[in-house]
Amino acid sequence: MEDVVNGTVPTVILFAMISLSARFSEDPFFAGIDPRIRGRPYALEAEHLFNPREVSLTTLQAAVLLGAYVITEGEAAAEAVFYSVACRNALLLDLPNMAVPSRAEQEVNRRAWWTLCMIDVWSSRGVRIPRMLTPRNDVPYPMEETVFHGLRSDGFDVPSPSSLQESSASLLTQMIKLNAILFEISTVNELAASHSHLSIHHQEAVDALTAKLEGWYNNLPVGLQDTHANLSRYATIGLGPMFVAVYLGYYHYGQLLYYPYLHEDSYDDTIHARYYADKCKGHSIGLCEILYRAYSTPGCEVYYTMVGHVLVIASTVQLHILLFSTNEVQIRAARSRLERNFEILTRLQTFWPTLDVCFTRFREFHKACQKYKETSFRMDKWMLQFLFEFANPVGEKDPDDLAELRPWSLQDLGFTPPA
């Protein structure tokens, strides 16, 4: 904020930031203006000021912010273009190794590099294009956040040994490690969608990725594990939403990895299928629960757009429980989660236009369940699009795949989403 007051923040960055944040403002200036459209004039001004010919950190940061804005309007292709500009700037600058006058700037550059590497994975998967950045082993992971926030901007100060913590204690570092697993999960699911049945090779790949996901959690410092105490502690130091974001990633990536087994579990009584289907349900429940705790813990609320996407995916897993479980306790719990999830999605919809797409996507999924229970959870190209192309609406499943299947009535579902 001091930089804003002093006028040292580039104008393009300032307008781009306001384009995203104005929707949350309680200032009387915005009274009577729909929160969903408050940012539009600021985004237009930022785009006007944006100069792609200037290769700089400012251009990179502005491109990321504008990419984050356009996806809120459902413009996935435009998002990919802005992120591509950001990635090219990072490569042209050799961002992680760029000469800078202070350790704070060095850390900013490293964090920007790693953030772009993460963005590149889910953005490229969302529009089905190759990623642009390859993670580099020679770039150090980010330092722990409180150490970073304590750096001075006037030199290469070195934190004292008592305050310098390993990068493993950094929330951003843990996001980076998880993101590398996400890339592999998306590749495995893409291969699964091209076959009518899950092969032994798919099973082996899932086994290997399970070891990586579980290894990630088991190697966490105690202070980073998913506990009420840790959530409260991070809330007190202003990092509650970032802590929640780590676990939204963890639980979401897990439900993506095991999602193909929901269909297998419904029609295959093998122990392996049941085991991984249960893990998918467990990750879905974990995602829901961390969100419920976030919204009930002051300073931990998360309102960014991807919350809507991951919560819709988690909700389809809860819908699977309604369809196929014979346990009344599980069914009641799943129905309760669906109700709470729609409350959260509705709240997010008041801020972000792209949440309209989230609701549309769930309705299309629900429609498929109404008509054709037997294939509604099958990992095919339609399902791959549903899971990964988060900004794009999905159409109906291919009728050729469903021609011989028995329609399923709405009453059998036991749940009807809002109209």
Side-chain angles (χ1 to χ4, degrees), residues 192-193 195-203 206 260-261 264 379:
H195 298 86
S196 58
H197 299 286
L198 300 182
S199 67
I200 185 64
H201 299 294
H202 179 271
Q203 179 178 322
V206 172
Y261 288 95
E264 298 295 312
M379 181 56 69

Side-chain angles (χ1 to χ4, degrees), residues 11 40 47 87 107 181 207 248 295 310 337 411:
T11 307
R40 288 178 183 173
E47 288 188 42
C87 290
E107 180 66 12
I181 301 174
D207 289 342
L248 286 180
Y295 287 118
V310 302
R337 290 188 198 101
Q411 289 74 19

Side-chain angles (χ1 to χ4, degrees), residues 206-284:
V206 172
D207 289 342
L209 286 170
T210 295
K212 289 187 177 183
L213 266 182
E214 293 179 350
W216 173 83
Y217 188 85
N218 293 334
N219 289 323
L220 284 175
V222 174
L224 279 180
Q225 293 174 0
D226 182 12
T227 66
H228 290 278
N230 284 339
L231 180 65
S232 298
R233 179 170 58 83
Y234 275 104
T236 62
I237 59 175
L239 293 172
M242 195 172 186
F243 179 84
V244 173
V246 171
Y247 280 99
L248 286 180
Y250 170 67
Y251 291 122
H252 178 55
Y253 303 161
Q255 68 180 1
L256 288 178
L257 175 61
Y258 306 123
Y259 206 96
Y261 288 95
L262 293 177
H263 174 74
E264 298 295 312
D265 179 49
S266 305
Y267 303 103
D268 183 348
D269 59 359
T270 63
I271 295 176
H272 197 271
R274 176 60 52 84
Y275 174 72
Y276 278 138
D278 286 345
K279 288 184 78 68
C280 182
K281 297 167 193 174
H283 275 262
S284 168

Side-chain angles (χ1 to χ4, degrees), residues 86-393:
C87 290
R88 287 300 187 193
N89 270 263
L91 291 170
L92 289 167
L93 293 168
D94 189 15
L95 190 63
N97 300 313
M98 190 168 66
V100 290
S102 71
R103 181 163 183 175
E105 290 183 55
Q106 181 185 64
E107 180 66 12
V108 166
N109 290 349
R110 288 175 179 172
R111 296 173 85 88
W113 167 263
W114 282 116
T115 298
L116 278 176
C117 288
M118 292 191 292
I119 288 173
D120 194 28
V121 169
W122 50 258
S123 176
S124 61
R125 287 295 178 178
V127 290
R128 288 181 290 177
I129 60 175
R131 64 177 179 175
M132 298 183 68
L133 299 180
T134 302
R136 290 165 42 177
N137 294 329
D138 63 332
V139 180
Y141 283 131
M143 63 177 64
E144 194 273 333
E145 278 66 33
T146 60
V147 177
F148 170 52
H149 293 161
L151 293 178
R152 299 196 311 269
S153 60
D154 57 355
F156 270 86
D157 54 330
V158 179
S160 66
S162 61
S163 65
L164 183 58
Q165 301 180 39
E166 295 182 1
S167 63
S168 62
S170 162
L171 294 169
L172 184 57
T173 292
Q174 298 306 330
M175 290 182 185
I176 294 163
K177 292 178 179 179
L178 280 172
N179 187 259
I181 301 174
L182 169 64
F183 180 78
E184 296 184 67
I185 290 171
S186 64
T187 302
V188 168
N189 279 359
E190 188 171 1
L191 291 173
S194 63
H195 298 86
S196 58
H197 299 286
L198 300 182
S199 67
I200 185 64
H201 299 294
H202 179 271
Q203 179 178 322
E204 291 171 350
V206 172
D207 289 342
L209 286 170
T210 295
K212 289 187 177 183
L213 266 182
E214 293 179 350
W216 173 83
Y217 188 85
N218 293 334
N219 289 323
L220 284 175
V222 174
L224 279 180
Q225 293 174 0
D226 182 12
T227 66
H228 290 278
N230 284 339
L231 180 65
S232 298
R233 179 170 58 83
Y234 275 104
T236 62
I237 59 175
L239 293 172
M242 195 172 186
F243 179 84
V244 173
V246 171
Y247 280 99
L248 286 180
Y250 170 67
Y251 291 122
H252 178 55
Y253 303 161
Q255 68 180 1
L256 288 178
L257 175 61
Y258 306 123
Y259 206 96
Y261 288 95
L262 293 177
H263 174 74
E264 298 295 312
D265 179 49
S266 305
Y267 303 103
D268 183 348
D269 59 359
T270 63
I271 295 176
H272 197 271
R274 176 60 52 84
Y275 174 72
Y276 278 138
D278 286 345
K279 288 184 78 68
C280 182
K281 297 167 193 174
H283 275 262
S284 168
I285 292 169
L287 189 150
C288 294
E289 293 298 327
I290 188 68
L291 269 181
Y292 303 158
R293 283 187 281 133
Y295 287 118
S296 63
T297 305
C300 292
E301 303 91 341
V302 284
Y303 291 108
Y304 54 92
T305 57
M306 282 298 288
V307 174
H309 172 66
V310 302
L311 193 56
V312 163
I313 303 303
S315 295
T316 65
V317 180
Q318 299 307 303
L319 186 57
H320 182 278
I321 296 173
L322 288 185
L323 280 169
F324 295 102
S325 178
T326 58
N327 184 309
E328 285 300 321
V329 174
Q330 292 180 359
I331 291 172
R332 285 196 299 271
R335 184 175 288 110
S336 175
R337 290 188 198 101
L338 281 166
E339 292 171 355
R340 295 184 71 174
N341 292 355
F342 271 92
E343 290 175 3
I344 294 172
L345 290 167
T346 301
R347 190 186 319 172
L348 291 170
Q349 193 178 27
T350 64
F351 299 115
W352 305 107
T354 192
L355 262 292
D356 297 346
V357 176
C358 290
F359 275 105
T360 300
R361 289 164 64 84
F362 188 83
R363 289 193 186 102
E364 286 299 328
F365 191 99
H366 187 257
K367 190 186 301 182
C369 291
Q370 291 176 30
K371 293 181 178 179
Y372 306 104
K373 174 186 176 184
E374 288 88 345
T375 64
S376 53
F377 288 88
R378 188 175 65 190
M379 181 56 69
D380 52 19
K381 292 181 179 179
W382 184 93
M383 182 62 76
L384 193 70
Q385 179 185 0
F386 180 80
L387 293 177
F388 288 95
E389 296 179 31
F390 51 87
N392 293 323

